[in-house]
Amino acid sequence: MESPPADLVEAVRARLARTGVEPSAAQVALALRAEKSVYGDAEILAVARALCADLIGAGPLEPLLATPDVTDVLVNGPREVWVDDGLGLRRTRVAFADDAAVRRLAQRLAAAAGRRLDDACPYVDARLAGGVRLHAVLPPIASGGTCVSLRLPPRRTYTMDALVRAGTLAPEAAAILRRMVAARLAFLVTGGTGTGKTTLLSALLSLADPGERLLLVEDSAELRPEHPHVVRLESRPANLEGAGGIGLRDLVRQALRMRPDRVVVGEVRGAEVVDLLAALNTGHEGGCGTLHANAAADVPARLEALGCAAGLSREAVHSQLAAALDMVVHLARSRADGRRRVAEICLLARTPSGLVEARTAMTFHEAGAVELGPAYGRLEEAL
């Protein structure tokens, strides 16, 4: 029995509310048997599983979240559910009964994360158990119906060889990136949303010398390096009263006091860029992180915007940047099949004007060709 009747779900929900017990799988099964005692044991178990998904899980989204290669589950109202499994977005056959069902799911997930989602606060951004990122928007802000976005953390760590076999890395790119990690150069992995930045960074960190101490600073623990000495610091959102929040900037400062060999910021997107650049300028070699950018050439401007928003002048940002970061590894999605791949490796260099620009060292085309850029000679020197 794949989808239990709506009246049965409501009856079980009401019974659990009356008794005040925790809605565990066992309690759902007991409530179900009390409501429909004519069911046999096998039927009870089957319906209980479906009810647990609706009452304490992700409802119709449970099978999608359990699919190994799925990284994103996107709900655009009750009739549109999309997934990204590494090959681009595709629409599924999953649907909800109505928008009220989507709203209930979104509110329950938000409550599980200790956040509020209602007409007074019609959107939420939170982290669920296991590192799943939740974002939800209610009508009328979302005019087409309640929207829910679930971003799943990586299920496993890919090795460099696995990324080469998957087509994410050209063999020439893999060789350069291995040397980059060994040389302890500071770098950023850049790209758009869903291009595989975290996956690649985890693989690169797995190459670090086992004697090094890695300090990972993240909003949500997504990096999974296969390394014997990893220390994780994770930010904490504010509570319902707006107190108790701990941001990435605070954590970067704490990481610097913990004797790191490499400071890693899972995603640079705010004022923490100031402390990261300062750290990389004061002897912390090999630091790295990810950054949202449409192209490698946009990276200096992106960092400039973040640094100026945090209080630095334009000149100060570029001075810090010139001395702190060495390389940019840019990822993109294939237009043909949606596959993620390393598209470009660039070096950051200061121009006569004093500003920093990204200079192309290697370009990796979709067809497999490798093009050496004007900065390739300098790249070999750096490595």
Side-chain angles (χ1 to χ4, degrees):
M1 189 173 183
E2 295 182 357
S3 180
D7 58 344
L8 180 57
V9 175
E10 288 302 321
V12 171
R13 182 183 285 113
R15 179 176 289 275
L16 291 174
R18 287 196 305 270
T19 58
V21 298
E22 186 72 19
S24 64
Q27 293 297 337
V28 169
L30 288 174
L32 177 61
R33 188 177 288 279
E35 291 293 330
K36 294 286 184 178
S37 58
V38 295
Y39 281 175
D41 289 342
E43 292 171 309
I44 288 284
L45 289 174
V47 178
R49 281 194 293 269
L51 282 167
C52 283
D54 187 80
L55 296 175
I56 60 177
L61 305 182
E62 281 285 347
L64 302 179
L65 296 175
T67 304
D69 294 328
V70 168
T71 59
D72 295 86
V73 177
L74 310 173
V75 182
N76 306 335
R79 300 291 176 232
E80 285 191 33
V81 178
W82 298 72
V83 297
D84 186 345
D85 54 5
L87 301 177
L89 287 172
R90 62 176 177 84
R91 188 172 178 175
T92 71
R93 296 181 179 180
V94 175
F96 289 79
D98 50 32
D99 193 67
V102 187
R103 182 187 179 104
R104 284 197 302 270
L105 172 63
Q107 290 178 317
R108 179 159 46 78
L109 294 177
R115 306 299 294 275
R116 175 182 175 185
L117 182 63
D118 51 32
D119 291 337
C121 185
Y123 52 84
V124 68
D125 186 15
R127 293 195 306 275
L128 304 176
V132 176
R133 290 187 186 179
L134 164 71
H135 187 272
V137 187
L138 299 179
I141 306 301
S143 58
T146 302
C147 293
V148 179
S149 303
L150 296 171
R151 165 65 65 87
L152 282 72
R155 316 292 179 89
R156 62 190 179 96
T157 300
Y158 286 84
T159 64
M160 296 292 283
D161 291 338
L163 292 177
V164 171
R165 290 194 298 270
T168 300
L169 279 175
E172 297 86 349
I176 289 293
L177 296 183
R178 289 178 186 277
R179 294 170 62 192
M180 174 188 73
V181 175
R184 293 180 56 79
L185 298 183
F187 64 93
L188 288 177
V189 178
T190 66
T193 300
T195 51
K197 299 184 294 296
T198 299
T199 298
L200 177 59
L201 184 55
S202 291
L204 292 173
L205 292 174
S206 298
L207 300 176
D209 190 304
E212 294 179 354
R213 175 176 166 92
L214 310 185
L215 261 294
L216 310 186
V217 178
E218 299 179 85
D219 261 335
S220 179
E222 296 181 342
L223 291 169
R224 299 281 194 274
E226 292 182 352
H227 192 276
H229 198 161
V230 175
V231 180
R232 302 178 184 276
L233 300 180
E234 190 173 355
S235 67
R236 185 177 69 192
N239 58 23
L240 293 175
E241 288 74 35
I246 298 176
L248 289 182
R249 188 168 190 179
D250 298 319
L251 296 183
V252 171
R253 292 172 178 172
Q254 299 309 311
L256 297 178
R257 298 182 175 95
M258 297 172 68
R259 200 268 180 212
D261 288 305
R262 291 180 191 259
V263 178
V264 183
V265 179
E267 183 179 342
V268 180
R269 60 181 180 182
E272 67 276 0
V273 68
V274 174
D275 299 281
L276 178 62
L277 292 178
L280 298 179
N281 274 303
T282 53
H284 295 279
E285 298 178 341
C288 52
T290 73
L291 177 77
H292 279 272
N294 293 327
D298 298 335
V299 170
R302 181 93 170 88
L303 292 172
E304 177 187 313
L306 294 176
C308 290
L312 291 181
S313 67
R314 187 187 190 195
E315 293 75 16
V317 172
H318 283 268
S319 293
Q320 293 265 39
L321 182 55
L325 283 169
D326 300 301
M327 294 177 60
V328 172
V329 183
H330 188 71
L331 288 147
R333 277 189 179 274
S334 170
R335 295 181 180 178
D337 56 15
R339 291 183 182 274
R340 307 162 175 134
R341 63 184 181 84
V342 170
E344 200 174 6
I345 295 176
C346 296
L347 292 184
L348 295 178
R350 203 163 190 169
T351 64
S353 67
L355 301 181
V356 172
E357 66 178 10
R359 296 177 179 173
T360 303
M362 302 179 76
T363 301
F364 306 93
H365 298 283
E366 289 187 30
V370 180
E371 180 182 348
L372 301 184
Y376 181 75
R378 186 166 164 265
L379 172 63
E380 283 292 340
E381 292 177 5
L383 295 176

